[in-house]
Amino acid sequence: MDVIWKSIILATAGLFLLRLAGRKTISQLTIPTTVVMISIGSIIVQPIVEKSVWKTIIAAGIFILLLILNEFLSLKFNFYEKLIVGEAVTLIEDGQTINENLRKVRLTVDKLEIRLRQKGIKKITDVKTATLEPNGQIGYELFYDAQPLTIGEFKKMMNFLGPQIQAASPTPEFTIFDEVRIKNHNYQPPDKLQ
C-alpha cells in the first residue's frame, strides 16, 4: 500500500515540476535539459522501487495509469487541461513581438527568430499572429500578402487569365519528356536529340 501512495505523490510532483520547467523545456531537449529530466526521473523513482522487481513493476504500472487518468481528465474537464497542459501564449500580434509574453515563456527574440526562420518566415512583420502552443511548437498566421500562393488560388487566377495567357503563349516545343511519353508509339525523335 505504501508503494501506491508514494507513486501517486511522486508522479503528481513530477507533473507539476515539468509544468514548472515550462513547455519550451519539454519540446526542445538540449543536452543539459535531457540530463536534468533523466535525473528527475531517477530521483522520483528511487524512493519507490528500492530493490524489489515487483515493486518496480507496480510503480511503473501506477505511473502509466496516472498518465492515462491525466489524459482522461484533460479530455473531460477543460479547466483541468488548462491547469496541467496550459494554453497557447501569443508572442507576435500584428507583426510586433509581445515582449512581456516572451519573458513569461523565457524565450528571447533571437530564439523566436530562429524558430520562425525554420518555418520559412523571413520577417517578423510578415506574421499577423504567432503563438507558443502547449506542446512547445510555434503556431503562426501570416498576413494575406505574405502568404504563399496555393494551388487553388493559382487555378482561379489561370481561369481568369487563361484566354489572355494562351493567346500570348508560343507553341510548346518538343521536350525530352515527350520522347519518354511517346517512345512506345513508334515515334522517331528529331535529329538534334539523337
Side-chain angles (χ1 to χ4, degrees):
M1 195 65 167
D2 192 36
V3 174
I4 295 172
W5 289 112
K6 282 183 182 179
S7 297
I8 291 171
I9 290 168
L10 291 172
T12 304
L15 281 173
F16 283 106
L17 285 172
L18 289 175
R19 178 77 167 101
L20 183 65
R23 63 188 85 187
K24 187 175 61 145
T25 306
I26 295 167
S27 73
Q28 299 174 344
L29 291 177
T30 60
I31 292 174
T33 308
T34 304
V35 170
V36 169
M37 293 299 175
I38 291 171
S39 299
I40 288 172
S42 298
I43 291 167
I44 288 174
V45 172
Q46 192 62 31
I48 300 171
V49 292
E50 297 169 3
K51 295 182 180 184
S52 169
V53 174
W54 291 110
K55 285 184 179 180
T56 304
I57 293 170
I58 291 169
I62 289 171
F63 272 79
I64 298 297
L65 288 174
L66 286 173
L67 182 64
I68 293 169
L69 176 65
N70 181 51
E71 290 172 355
F72 175 76
L73 290 173
S74 293
L75 287 171
K76 279 290 200 194
F77 304 106
N78 200 24
F79 75 91
Y80 182 81
E81 181 182 25
K82 287 180 183 177
L83 176 70
I84 298 298
V85 177
E87 294 179 303
V89 176
T90 304
L91 303 177
I92 299 172
E93 189 70 47
D94 294 325
Q96 300 294 316
T97 58
I98 303 174
N99 294 329
E100 179 183 326
N101 288 352
L102 286 170
R103 278 191 295 277
K104 188 182 349 177
V105 297
R106 298 186 312 272
L107 188 67
T108 65
V109 173
D110 289 337
K111 298 247 167 108
L112 175 62
E113 287 173 346
I114 289 168
R115 295 180 71 184
L116 291 174
R117 278 193 299 270
Q118 290 172 338
K119 295 189 174 290
I121 298 171
K122 296 177 184 170
K123 296 185 287 183
I124 287 179
T125 55
D126 287 344
V127 181
K128 183 176 180 181
T129 306
T131 56
L132 182 63
E133 301 298 329
N135 65 359
Q137 299 297 315
I138 299 284
Y140 66 92
E141 175 188 10
L142 297 173
F143 281 108
Y144 187 75
D145 288 345
Q147 293 176 6
L149 182 67
T150 66
I151 292 175
E153 291 168 334
F154 181 74
K155 285 180 179 179
K156 286 179 188 174
M157 185 174 66
M158 292 305 292
N159 285 338
F160 179 74
L161 297 175
Q164 297 166 355
I165 291 174
Q166 285 183 350
S169 305
T171 308
E173 292 184 18
F174 181 82
T175 68
I176 57 174
F177 293 103
D178 293 329
E179 179 182 354
V180 174
R181 284 187 203 109
I182 54 180
K183 194 172 192 175
N184 295 331
H185 294 89
N186 296 329
Y187 177 77
Q188 292 296 324
D191 292 337
K192 62 183 176 182
L193 292 178
Q194 291 180 347

